[in-house]
């Protein structure tokens, strides 16, 4: 249970405070309600580029990391299709340093052309190393546009292509910043050895003077129901043939997410899962295989992926996967399987919330999605899932016409 209090500044910044006097630390998490889904289809990769630019100096602070390190703090950030998230952990006695740093970044970046060039090159190099020059690295560059034909989830967070980052101008960067990096499009969570009164004082001092931006009303084109199976086959220099099957499924906080999430655990979480036990251990068709949901806020994907052993065709592997799916559709999961994965999921949740930063993040994610209390309802929602609900989810999601299949063949 994450206890919290919340208030909103005059400029629209939502603030959540989780008091925990048992720790000497504090966590400061700022979530901006912008991800790759919000990008112009002709200028993709900007949300991720901004994750880098935000560390390149702000209006009054040319060097972000050094002042934080001097007070014993650490920081990082990540970008997804849905959000961009920045976080700091530091001794609670030095909390104001985090407010100084983060408020200046929200006020304005430095917009130094040299910083743009440096971070542009960093992102381009990351694109090449992680997505183009690494075995299987381009999977999501191919699988996303196969599965999504309309929605902005059709491109990866890194962007559609390097060209979009190469051609980004300083004007593009300014426009993106002042559209999305504004107080009324952000959410601040402060957790740890702090008090609500203290946080109210600090937020009013450091964040309230920052002017609000124009309200952002997300109105993205929605993906229509997929009505026929899709297929793509590619070949590259990779060690083993690989199979990817992606099915459309409910979004992260929708009721249907939890049965699908546990279904993924039954099929492909760990060495006791159905796919691993039967296709890796018993039949030795696959070298590795798993199943998972992408967990997007809007309807995401249920993915089954595996690398086949040498000498086993992808067609044979897919047929074996389909056989296991058919068994789940026909008979549903065993009570013992459901109990096991529910306990695993609840234990994972409980262990994660031992960490102060994870509590802050979970609160931020839920609040941004629409209701901070969802962070406290996870265990209850997990435990409410029945074998019947999992079987119904399987029948709704694991339909051939709802599936996009990718054969990734190893070239000779």
């Amino acid at each position: 249970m994450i206890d919290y209090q919340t208030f909103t500044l005059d400029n629209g910044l939502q603030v959540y405070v989780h008091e925990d006097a048992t720790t000497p630390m504090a966590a400061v998490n700022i979530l901006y309600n912008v991800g790759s889904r919000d990008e112009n289809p002709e200028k993709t990769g900007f949300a991720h580029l901004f994750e880098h630019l935000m560390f390149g100096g702000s209006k009054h602070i040319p060097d972000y990391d050094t002042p934080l390190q001097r007070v014993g703090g650490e920081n990082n950030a990540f970008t997804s299709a849905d959000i961009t998230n920045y976080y700091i952990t530091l001794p609670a006695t030095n909390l104001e340093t985090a407010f100084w740093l983060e408020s200046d970044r929200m006020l304005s970046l430095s917009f130094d052309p040299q910083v743009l060039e440096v971070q542009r090159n960093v992102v381009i190099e990351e694109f090449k190393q992680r997505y183009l020059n690494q075995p299987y690295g381009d999977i999501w560059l191919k699988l996303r546009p196969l599965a999504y034909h309309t929605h902005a989830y059709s491109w990866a967070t890194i962007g559609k292509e390097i060209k979009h980052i190469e051609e980004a101008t300083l004007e593009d960067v300014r426009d993106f910043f002042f559209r999305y990096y504004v107080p009324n499009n952000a959410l601040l969570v402060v957790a740890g050895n702090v008090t609500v009164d203290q946080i109210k004082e600090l937020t009013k001092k450091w964040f309230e003077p920052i002017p609000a931006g124009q309200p952002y009303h997300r109105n993205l084109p929605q993906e229509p129901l997929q009505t026929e199976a899709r297929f793509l086959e590619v070949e590259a220099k990779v060690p083993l043939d690989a199979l990817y099957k992606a099915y459309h499924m409910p979004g992260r906080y929708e009721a249907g997410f939890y049965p699908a999430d546990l279904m993924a655990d039954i099929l492909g979480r760990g060495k006791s899962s159905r796919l691993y036990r039967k296709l890796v251990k018993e039949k030795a068709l696959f070298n590795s295989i798993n199943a998972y949901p992408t967990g997007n806020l809007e309807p995401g994907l249920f993915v089954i992926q595996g690398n086949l052993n040498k000498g086993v065709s992808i067609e044979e592997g897919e047929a074996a996967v389909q056989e296991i799916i058919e068994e789940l559709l026909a008979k549903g999961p065993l009570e013992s399987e459901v109990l096991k994965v529910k306990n695993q999921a609840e234990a994972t949740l409980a262990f994660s919330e031992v960490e102060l930063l994870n509590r802050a993040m979970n609160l931020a994610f839920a609040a941004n999605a629409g209701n901070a209390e969802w962070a406290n309802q996870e265990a209850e929602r997990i435990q409410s899932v029945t074998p019947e609900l999992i079987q119904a989810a399987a029948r709704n999601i694991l339909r051939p016409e709802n599936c996009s299949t990718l054969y990734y063949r190893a070239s000779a």
Side-chain angles (χ1 to χ4, degrees):
M1 186 75 174
I2 307 171
D3 296 317
Y4 64 90
Q5 293 187 49
T6 182
F7 58 91
T8 303
L9 299 183
D10 290 344
N11 58 13
L13 178 66
Q14 299 176 62
V15 185
Y16 291 79
V17 185
H18 167 58
E19 298 181 359
D20 182 356
T22 67
T23 174
M25 302 298 289
V28 177
N29 191 95
I30 293 194
L31 184 154
Y32 290 93
N33 184 27
V34 57
S36 57
R37 63 176 167 164
D38 300 294
E39 296 165 345
N40 180 331
E42 302 306 317
K43 296 181 179 181
T44 63
F46 271 67
H48 176 251
L49 175 62
F50 259 84
E51 177 197 322
H52 290 261
L53 288 174
M54 288 285 276
F55 292 97
S58 54
K59 191 176 181 79
H60 302 109
I61 306 170
D63 178 9
Y64 180 91
D65 288 322
T66 302
L68 186 61
Q69 290 166 358
R70 284 176 179 163
V71 297
E74 296 181 346
N75 73 94
N76 214 325
F78 62 85
T79 314
S80 74
D82 300 307
I83 62 168
T84 310
N85 198 64
Y86 299 85
Y87 54 92
I88 292 173
T89 56
L90 77 173
T93 53
N94 297 325
L95 179 62
E96 192 162 6
T97 298
F99 276 73
W100 169 60
L101 289 167
E102 289 296 350
S103 64
D104 203 62
R105 291 205 293 189
M106 185 183 287
L107 175 65
S108 180
L109 291 183
S110 67
F111 297 114
D112 182 339
Q114 186 176 353
V115 171
L116 174 59
E117 286 310 306
V118 169
Q119 298 305 328
R120 185 207 310 274
N121 290 334
V122 169
V123 172
I124 288 172
E125 190 59 30
E126 180 183 348
F127 199 125
K128 291 176 180 177
Q129 286 189 4
R130 290 183 56 193
Y131 292 83
L132 302 183
N133 299 331
Q134 183 171 293
Y136 313 106
D138 61 349
I139 283 298
W140 286 103
L141 299 180
K142 301 181 184 303
L143 192 56
R144 281 192 174 278
L146 181 65
Y148 291 102
H149 286 184
T150 304
H151 195 280
Y153 286 162
S154 64
W155 58 83
T157 307
I158 195 77
K160 284 183 183 179
E161 51 187 306
I162 289 178
K163 182 179 73 171
H164 289 180
I165 299 302
E166 289 175 335
E167 296 178 353
T169 67
L170 206 54
E171 184 180 356
D172 292 333
V173 169
R174 285 180 187 273
D175 289 346
F176 195 90
F177 180 86
F178 288 112
R179 180 179 303 166
Y180 298 116
Y181 278 73
V182 290
N184 47 314
N185 199 49
L187 188 149
L188 168 66
V189 177
V190 185
N193 198 351
V194 302
T195 67
V196 174
D197 288 343
Q198 175 192 16
I199 302 309
K200 282 184 177 178
E201 182 181 339
L202 287 171
T203 52
K204 285 181 180 295
K205 175 182 177 181
W206 290 104
F207 285 98
E208 199 158 62
I210 302 172
Q214 289 296 317
Y216 174 46
H217 301 292
R218 186 175 281 111
N219 185 25
L220 303 177
Q222 296 303 295
E223 188 70 20
L225 184 71
Q226 185 172 328
T227 57
E228 58 182 17
R230 298 170 186 166
F231 177 77
L232 177 66
E233 183 172 338
V234 298
E235 185 175 299
K237 291 183 179 181
V238 293
L240 299 167
D241 288 345
L243 169 70
Y244 296 81
K245 296 181 75 66
Y247 304 81
H248 294 279
M249 64 166 284
R252 174 64 181 85
Y253 291 97
E254 295 177 31
F257 177 83
Y258 296 89
D261 189 29
L262 293 178
M263 176 174 70
D265 290 347
I266 288 170
L267 285 174
R269 176 178 177 173
K271 295 184 178 181
S272 63
S273 65
R274 290 190 178 193
L275 290 168
Y276 191 95
R277 192 176 69 250
K278 295 182 180 180
L279 304 186
V280 176
K281 285 184 177 178
E282 295 176 13
K283 296 185 178 180
L285 299 177
F286 283 81
N287 176 273
S288 62
I289 191 166
N290 62 350
Y292 57 90
T294 56
N296 295 111
L297 286 179
E298 297 185 63
L301 298 175
F302 183 100
V303 181
I304 297 173
Q305 68 177 61
N307 292 350
L308 293 113
N309 282 322
K310 288 189 180 296
V312 180
S313 71
I314 304 181
E315 291 82 358
E316 183 182 358
E318 185 184 18
V321 168
Q322 190 60 38
E323 188 178 318
I324 292 172
I325 289 173
E326 294 296 337
E327 183 183 11
L328 181 64
L329 293 172
K331 299 179 181 179
L334 300 173
E335 286 274 5
S336 58
E337 284 181 303
V338 177
L339 180 61
K340 182 191 75 173
V341 296
K342 284 163 70 169
N343 289 341
Q344 284 178 333
E346 193 168 354
T348 299
L349 176 65
F351 282 123
S352 76
E353 291 189 349
V354 170
E355 293 289 334
L356 180 66
L357 179 59
N358 287 341
R359 274 176 268 154
M361 284 188 181
N362 289 348
L363 195 57
F365 300 158
N368 178 69
N371 186 351
E373 268 306 295
W374 289 340
N376 289 323
Q377 296 169 1
E378 292 274 353
E380 180 184 341
R381 291 187 174 193
I382 290 166
Q383 288 301 333
S384 70
V385 176
T386 63
E388 291 75 20
L389 286 173
I390 291 176
Q391 185 176 27
R395 289 174 173 171
N396 180 50
I397 295 168
L398 302 178
R399 296 174 289 108
E401 65 272 20
N402 188 43
C403 183
S404 297
T405 302
L406 173 63
Y407 282 8
Y408 205 110
R409 296 193 186 276
S411 56

